[in-house]
Amino acid sequence: MQTLLFLILFPILVACLLLFVKRTTSRYAVVALSALAIGGASVYLLVRYASGGAVYFAASSEATDIVMVAIEMALALFIIVMGVKFRNYLAIALAVVQAALVVYLETTFAGSLHAANNLFVDQFSIIMALIIGIIGSLIAVYGVRYMETYHHHHPEVRDRQRMFFFVIFAFLAAMFGLVFSNNLMWVFFFWEVTTIASFVLIGYSETEEATTNAFRALVMNLLGGVAFVAALIFLAATGPTSGGVDLALVLASGDAAVILVPAVLIGFAGITKAALMPFSSWLLGAMVAPTPVSALLHSSTMVKAGVYILVRFAPVFAGTFAGLSVGLVGAVTFVVASAIAISRSDAKSVLAYSTIANLGLIAACAGVGTYMLVWAAILLIIFHAVAKSLLFLGTGAIEHRIGSRNIEDMEGLIVRMPKMAVMMFIGIAGMFLAPFGMLVSKWAAIEAFVQAPFGLVFIAILAYGSAVTVFFWAKWMGKLVAVTRGTERIEKGFLEEPWVPLYITTAIVILVVFLFPVISTALIEPYVFVIYGMTAHLAQANVAIMLLMISLLLILPISFSLFRKSAKRLPVYMGGRPATPELQFAGSLGMTREAQTQNYYLTGYFGEARLYWPGAVVCIVLILASWVFAGVAL
Amino acid sequence: MNWLWLIGAVLFLVLAPVAGGLIAGIDRKITARMQGRVGPPILQPFYDVGKLFEKERVVVTTAQNFYVLAYLVFIALSGAIFFAGGDLLLTVFAFTLAHVFLVLGAYAVHSPYSHIGAERELIQVMAYEPMIILVVVGFYMVTGSFFVDAIAAATVPAIAYLPGVFIGFAAILTIKLRKSPFDISTSHHAHQEIVKGITTEFSGSTLAQIEIAHWYENIFLLGLVYLFFAWNPVIAIIAVAVTYVAEIYIDNVTARVRWQAALKSGWLAAALGIANLAILSYMMIGGA
Amino acid sequence: MSSMAFLKRSPWILHYDASSCNGCDIEVLACLTPLYDIERFGIINTGNPKHADILLITGGINEQNRPVVKNLYEQMPEPKVVVAIGACAATGGIFRECYNITGGVDKVIPVDVYVPGCAARPEQIIDGVVTALGILEEKRMKMTGEATRPAAGVGEER
């Protein structure tokens, strides 16, 4: 248990320490060392607890519960103050409602708010802990240099880096707490902390846009929070049959109808936190935050908490119409968000929509909840966290170097920033190409849905969504590898860019392809087996083929050196018109014109304006349906 | 241990270019006869590829050769997985990987015509991908397996349960074979749109590699047609021949459509497939 | 490999109108029709110099397309031949005295075969292309360092 407590409490200590560290070099040292400690502890956790199933710890303490409630009230007060300051009354209202419900919960059910074991660790928590501990720490390290450059480029933004890193590490602590808590009251507490962290970090630059978006995120997440408390009240009221606030007892409860109601409500909280439709707009808006925030909160960890809780409740959702509805919300989000991503030219916007889409896919797997789907969902969580964080970190570094995060401006990046371009290439490949992880997970999901009830609906949606993702990722890749002529290399040396976190994350993306059979056997399959009594895995033959593919992919670039010398260079075909290497040619009226290539964005067909509302409406109907089904079952 | 898979893969790797080239030659002969011409000799595709290898090595950028080589390697690998009896879904995704390499090669040269060709190739991929996933799912529903060796050995006539899927597949087969009306990215014969589209800046041995990859892929596609009729090999071979001749016919009587129509057609085909599978699953639940 | 003579059996053409009246161009295109059907020789009309072996060029060349003709010629990979079709392509034809006409393709790029006529007949054009194929084969052999006689030396290496 010491490891668990270390992982939860140590980041808080670091956070407090960072409140006092002013210089970037010292901050870098503190963050880097802490990252090593946290990462190391996560790995130690893996080693210690990987084999053996779930382990529970009482960790009971009256003081902890009181402190949590106190902090929750303080946070509510903070929201009210901010709401008054920025005149956002919806936030105030929701905060008040949530706080009132918490008070009601604490007072009415004071006796039933205990769990036999407050903390636990099982393979799924280990996986989440590894993601938070390794990827999260890497992002924090990246953030130090990034924020220094950020303030260089944005002198008008007030330098609140100490607060920034305090919140980052407090957030890491909260995430650890979330995945290690067996007591749902504790889960709720950490959940709320992440909401506030997101709110504060999105509004970091204090511009009007940032503040508006921060409040939008806050409001939507508070909505989820209210649902969460409602679920807690229901659980406390039905204590004996439902298992109360003890997660393990709830999942093991024999009364399926009773636990379906809180499952759907907590699932709703998960939907808002994971920015599934119709709540996707907050994640889009959150992209105004500095890149480390987008990488950490809004792609690899916080939003993962939303789907994490959905996957935890997957056994409850399995075989129910309510679960099916929740799953469909995810599936519809997947296809609509992927389609809209085609029309976006801002890199972070594409990444955001892709994140929303993939979270939708994970939710779809969790909602239908068969053993194969849970296996696929966890695979998706791992691979998405890894690849997406690389892409966000890369985009941030590129933005600082070229001054833009528009994909069109990234044309020819392979010439201007070769190392960066290769890393982005690997990251994007990691998102949709075989044999990389996301493809493997998507493949697993398809094979799993085929064997699930009503699976055909999901397969149909998945087929279209998958086709669409190929389009927008491949065209981005194309922009990166265009070998433009007449451009010079602007990549800088080792100290000016945050190379270390980037290299490590890239290495991890490649490594997980080699390691995923091991990860599956050691961690995912035991977890699934314990819950369902059977488990899924990838056939040996397929694993061998994928290893062959990744090996080929690593070997083939050697051919570059073979091609280098012998061939003669020809100009590009410009209809016979002679042109300079930069594609400038003598146009009509004697003017020199330049040929420019731009990707297709097809906004008329795939634009947000066209696709968002139909998708949102469908999802609203589905969410309401899930509540109806859960209520009816009761 | 059963080495059948290795034999299948090796046979494919060695024989598919030969078979693919011959089929391409027969294709051109039939096309010519349909047009009232004599047409080239059946071995013409081999002469073409042989000639391309004899040309001077030229590039716009050396990167393009790497991408095309990767394209060829992965096309061959994907087909080999299929003929080794492997997982059909993995085969499909491996082909997607290969096509992305070709697209990247066209992007790498930074040429206007190549660029548009690459975009249209991606639209093509987007058009046929849903349907081809549904084909795989359809085979699973009928035979209970994703693996080609199990599907090929099945005693149930897949076509009887998957007529809609087959028609949908035939529609996207036109796209994959680069035939009218869906040859929006690059065309096989002399048709020019946006010059040669995705293959504009490739020449010599690079172009030859693309051609050979196309042959490999054609054999795979015909193999996929075969699977629908696998329960009776004789009927299956006849079906493959009939389908291919039908594709040639469609190629000759239609004109190229705009990419919007190609995309809609591909997705409509997928919708047809979904309808088929929905009816099938309803029947299976009812009967099971 | 060399004895297979692939180049002769698969010559791809690029057809360019360099300020021609279109008379010769129509005859060239007539060759592609089923009546003359030059595809039976493996000839394909590619519109792309990088894919072409034979440049069929008509017209007398003016200032506008002089750089274009050069550009197209340079973009064709070796071995390549140029067939100048029609009187204008040979010498400028009846437009030779005009101020804008350069007067013949060979003033801009090297020409291997001249096909006379105004307009040149399809049979003559096909005849010219067949002659060009022979020249093409010679160029290929020179390029790969082979000789026509077995005892010949190393030849040019590339």
Side-chain angles (χ1 to χ4, degrees), chain A residues 342 411 414 425 432-435 439 442-443 446-448 450-451 456 459-464 466-468 470-471 474-479 481-485 539 541-542 545-546 548-550 552-553 556-560 562-575 581-583 595-600 602 605-606, chain B residues 56-67 69-70 73-74 77 81 86-87 89-90 93-94 96-97 100-101 103-105 107-113 115-116 119-120 122-123 125-131 133-134 137 140-141 146-147 195 200-201 203 209 258-260 263-264 266-272 274 277-279 281:
Chain A
I342 292 181
E411 184 172 59
I414 192 109
F425 186 95
F432 81 108
L433 282 179
L439 187 288
K442 210 179 294 178
W443 171 21
I446 293 179
E447 298 209 357
V450 156
Q451 301 168 41
L456 193 57
I459 299 241
I461 297 177
L462 202 52
Y464 285 106
S466 174
V468 163
V470 172
F471 189 73
K475 68 180 163 93
W476 188 352
M477 265 178 145
K479 273 287 157 179
V481 303
V483 179
T484 50
R485 291 158 280 275
N542 287 337
I545 294 175
M546 285 198 293
L548 174 63
M549 286 171 79
I550 186 81
L552 275 174
L553 282 174
L556 270 171
I558 298 178
S559 65
F560 259 116
L562 296 172
F563 292 134
R564 203 157 289 287
K565 333 120 190 170
S566 49
K568 172 171 140 187
R569 299 288 177 114
L570 286 183
V572 156
Y573 181 68
M574 294 272 284
E582 299 85 13
L583 297 187
Q596 289 175 334
T597 54
Q598 245 198 3
N599 277 347
Y600 285 10
L602 312 181
Y605 300 95
F606 294 106
Chain B
E56 183 190 12
R57 296 195 65 169
V58 292
V59 292
V60 174
T61 170
T62 40
Q64 70 189 72
N65 286 350
F66 158 70
Y67 290 113
L69 179 63
V73 165
F74 280 101
L77 180 67
I81 298 175
D87 188 315
L89 209 45
L90 176 60
F93 290 134
T96 307
L97 172 65
V100 168
F101 269 116
V103 166
L104 289 177
Y107 270 112
V109 293
H110 194 58
S111 137
Y113 296 106
H115 179 99
I116 298 188
E119 298 274 353
R120 289 160 74 101
L122 284 178
I123 292 180
V125 172
M126 192 163 58
Y128 69 62
E129 184 103 341
M131 184 65 232
I133 293 180
L134 290 169
V137 170
Y140 178 82
M141 288 175 72
F146 281 107
F147 283 85
V195 192
T200 306
E201 305 292 345
S203 60
Q209 286 169 31
R258 295 164 63 218
W259 69 259
Q260 291 92 332
L263 183 60
K264 283 186 194 148
W267 285 10
L268 212 67
L272 183 62
I274 294 172
L277 292 180
I279 297 174
S281 89

Side-chain angles (χ1 to χ4, degrees), chain B residues 48 51 55-56 200-201, chain C residues 10 39 48 50-51 53 78:
Chain B
D48 289 339
K51 174 210 75 176
K55 295 281 280 186
E56 183 190 12
T200 306
E201 305 292 345
Chain C
S10 162
E39 201 199 345
N48 183 356
K50 292 200 174 73
H51 293 181
D53 310 297
E78 297 283 353

Side-chain angles (χ1 to χ4, degrees), chain B residues 12 78-79 82-83 86-89 91-92 95 128-129 131-139 146-148 151-152 158-159 162 165-166 168-170 172-173 176 216-230 236 239-240 243:
Chain B
F12 170 77
S78 316
F82 179 82
F83 281 95
D87 188 315
L88 196 48
L89 209 45
T91 310
V92 166
F95 269 109
Y128 69 62
E129 184 103 341
M131 184 65 232
I132 208 154
I133 293 180
L134 290 169
V135 165
V136 177
V137 170
F139 278 126
F146 281 107
F147 283 85
V148 176
I151 300 174
I159 184 70
L162 301 171
V165 171
F166 183 73
F169 176 65
I172 62 146
L173 191 59
K176 291 210 84 150
Y216 270 121
E217 194 175 12
N218 283 1
I219 298 297
F220 157 71
L221 291 167
L222 294 179
L224 208 48
V225 175
Y226 180 97
L227 279 187
F228 279 95
F229 302 89
V240 167
T243 310

Side-chain angles (χ1 to χ4, degrees), chain A residues 73 97-110 113 229 233-234 237:
Chain A
M73 292 299 127
V97 167
Q98 187 180 277
L101 284 174
V102 167
V103 168
Y104 172 73
L105 177 65
E106 290 286 343
T107 47
T108 320
F109 299 99
L113 295 179
V229 186
I233 294 177
F234 185 91

